[in-house]
Amino acid sequence: MNTKSNTTQYKNGRLFMENVDLAAVAEKVGTPAYVYSAGQLEANFNAYRHALSSVMSEKDFTLCYACKANSNLAVLSLLKNLGAGADIVSGGELARAIAAGVKPGKIVYSGVGKSEEELTEAIRRNIFQINVESEPELELISKIAVKLKKQVTVSIRVNPNVDAKTHAKITTGKKENKFGIDIKKAPALYARAKKLKNIHAAGVAVHIGSQLTSLAPFRRAYVRVAELVKTLRRQGHDISRVDLGGGLGITYKDETPPDLYLYALMIRDVITPLGVHIVLEPGRSIVGDAGVLLSRVVNIKHGDAKKFLILDAAMNDLMRPSLYDAYHAVLPHREKGKKAVYDVVGPVCETGDTFLTNETLTELKAGDLVAIMTAGAYGAVMSSNYNTRPLAAEVMVKGKSFELVRKPQTVQDLVKNDRIPAWLK
Ligand code: LLP
């Protein structure tokens, strides 16, 4: 799939998202600000839908958008209107999915440490499935289900011991990772589930990592899952669903992720013969290239060896470069002009607060606007208040209009919950 954004582009030398000049957004809401394209979100979601429908019937799969990538209610509600379900990992994400109108029957709950309170809420709501990560969790679910007099459908998340060949911090399917049940030990857990009350282990779930740019590790994991489904069926388990985890990687710089149609064909070859309902949980590839982080140049500092372009956005707004050494292109709002080489940094007091090193950009001055690209996934959701920096505004663009979809925080919002103990006063 070519996930290169086609909705954020230069028009007459100025950077636009859809038909909105990004300068107009910056003027209205200030910077830093996350801006999302409704059109790109829609195109990305429909790309999955069409690719899968080319190899199977619509009723045989559910696309559960991974809310963790971007859980703004506007994003969730737009995707819900297109038919998306939700993959959630916390009680907070459950509340967001419900607030956005996602039907509980289309919600899957993943995550390695769900609390009793969170599970209770999910069971009370009759969600589609809970992806179980351990035997104690299975037992806890059964206990809660009995108490609430509910029948709960679960999938067991297996760890297929496949190297996803992605960044170490986002790989999940190797045996040394904390996720899932060792695939070899899985049959014992299904046997245990059968003995537990009010629980039906109807599925197998797998997720080997994020930002995968080749199909081979997916295929390897899915083949192992298919073998497990056959083994479980031979042992008398009624397995009717398979959850294939997160989606494909995207292009940040020069990555070439696989085509979605090839991915769909591979699923048809490996999984469709099982005759199961398929769940996919894509996150990054739905929102990644649909978002930018708008920022203004605070000033330019001429170091001995370098020219530092200091932005008003920082690692607290977009953590990926400092956390994973991730590359996010920076596009000046004004396309043309003399070029200069910069280290693009934020104002936070850490050397790690660096977006780009030795990057050639159109020459910029204080006050100029830039867009940090491909920031729609794992951007706003991972931001923090480090350095007492309020969370940025979020905006959604549709055609030639745009709307604030999250108010920016104020410093007052941050300070108001602190308390000075009486003995210090
Ligand atoms: N399902 C499960 C069980 C997951 O753990 C994840 C991502 C997804 C689905 C969605 O995967 P995607 O389609 O987005 O690849 N913060 C990191 C990414 C962490 C991904 C965690 N799990 C980053 O910024 O690269």
Side-chain angles (χ1 to χ4, degrees), residues 18-71:
E18 302 193 21
N19 294 320
V20 170
D21 185 336
L22 286 171
V25 177
E27 216 136 276
K28 181 96 185 273
V29 307
T31 54
Y34 276 98
V35 193
Y36 310 124
S37 156
Q40 189 71 51
L41 284 168
E42 195 172 327
N44 292 344
F45 182 81
N46 284 337
Y48 269 92
R49 194 162 159 198
H50 293 148
L52 287 172
S53 332
S54 73
V55 298
M56 64 186 88
S57 142
E58 293 247 353
K59 66 173 179 18
D60 292 334
F61 67 89
T62 308
L63 285 166
C64 292
Y65 165 68
C67 299
K68 64 167 81 66
N70 184 328
S71 54

Side-chain angles (χ1 to χ4, degrees), residues 157-173:
R157 173 160 173 193
V158 297
N159 184 327
N161 193 22
V162 167
D163 187 352
K165 301 255 184 324
T166 182
H167 192 285
K169 285 189 180 152
I170 52 175
T171 200
T172 53

Side-chain angles (χ1 to χ4, degrees), residues 39-299:
Q40 189 71 51
L41 284 168
E42 195 172 327
N44 292 344
F45 182 81
N46 284 337
Y48 269 92
R49 194 162 159 198
H50 293 148
L52 287 172
S53 332
S54 73
V55 298
M56 64 186 88
S57 142
E58 293 247 353
K59 66 173 179 18
D60 292 334
F61 67 89
T62 308
L63 285 166
C64 292
Y65 165 68
C67 299
K68 64 167 81 66
N70 184 328
S71 54
N72 186 288
L73 290 192
V75 171
L76 299 186
S77 134
L78 181 147
L79 294 171
K80 178 264 310 182
N81 286 351
L82 296 172
D87 164 44
I88 58 159
V89 290
S90 69
E93 286 188 355
L94 175 60
R96 281 183 175 277
I98 300 278
V102 182
K103 291 210 179 67
K106 281 190 162 188
I107 296 179
V108 303
Y109 190 177
S110 312
V112 75
K114 311 171 193 82
S115 71
E116 180 160 355
E117 201 185 346
E118 289 174 314
L119 286 168
T120 302
E121 186 57 16
I123 294 169
R124 204 193 295 282
R125 296 246 178 213
N126 300 316
I127 67 168
F128 183 66
Q129 99 187 5
I130 299 175
N131 291 347
V132 174
E133 291 262 357
S134 66
E135 185 164 346
E137 185 174 83
L138 196 63
E139 284 163 3
L140 179 58
I141 292 170
S142 161
K143 192 184 98 184
I144 300 169
V146 169
K147 198 156 99 195
L148 297 179
K149 301 196 173 57
K150 299 268 192 190
Q151 288 297 324
V152 180
T153 304
V154 303
S155 278
I156 290 177
R157 173 160 173 193
V158 297
N159 184 327
N161 193 22
V162 167
D163 187 352
K165 301 255 184 324
T166 182
H167 192 285
K169 285 189 180 152
I170 52 175
T171 200
T172 53
K174 283 163 73 182
K175 64 174 187 293
E176 58 270 33
N177 300 135
K178 68 180 174 183
F179 299 97
I181 308 279
D182 178 351
I183 196 159
K184 292 199 248 30
K185 297 190 181 132
L189 205 60
Y190 284 87
R192 175 85 186 106
K194 215 170 200 175
K195 295 206 182 87
L196 290 170
K197 291 200 182 109
N198 295 35
I199 209 163
H200 177 207
V204 178
V206 72
H207 171 77
I208 55 171
S210 190
Q211 185 53 13
L212 271 70
T213 49
S214 108
L215 280 188
F218 280 118
R219 175 184 271 275
R220 231 170 279 141
Y222 296 175
V223 164
R224 288 184 194 167
V225 164
E227 279 163 10
L228 176 65
V229 169
K230 288 181 211 152
T231 306
L232 292 171
R233 283 178 172 164
R234 275 196 301 275
Q235 292 169 352
H237 300 286
D238 165 28
I239 305 294
S240 55
R241 335 170 152 178
V242 166
D243 179 339
L244 297 174
L248 300 180
I250 63 173
T251 305
Y252 287 98
K253 189 179 189 182
D254 46 16
E255 303 88 336
T256 49
D259 185 272
L260 263 179
Y261 282 87
L262 293 179
Y263 178 55
L265 281 174
M266 185 271 281
I267 294 177
R268 185 197 63 185
D269 287 352
V270 181
I271 303 293
T272 305
L274 300 169
V276 286
H277 187 82
I278 292 171
V279 173
L280 286 186
E281 306 168 347
R284 187 190 308 269
S285 44
I286 305 287
V287 278
D289 69 345
V292 305
L293 175 58
L294 266 190
S295 175
R296 282 199 195 276
V297 177
V298 176
N299 64 47

Side-chain angles (χ1 to χ4, degrees), residues 167 211 250-255 284 318 320-322 324-331 354-361 372-375:
H167 192 285
Q211 185 53 13
I250 63 173
T251 305
Y252 287 98
K253 189 179 189 182
D254 46 16
E255 303 88 336
R284 187 190 308 269
L318 178 65
R320 303 193 69 259
S322 39
Y324 314 117
D325 293 319
Y327 179 91
H328 285 263
V330 169
L331 293 188
T354 297
F355 291 110
L356 291 170
T357 314
N358 291 328
E359 193 76 6
T360 303
L361 303 175
I372 305 175
M373 302 299 289
T374 330

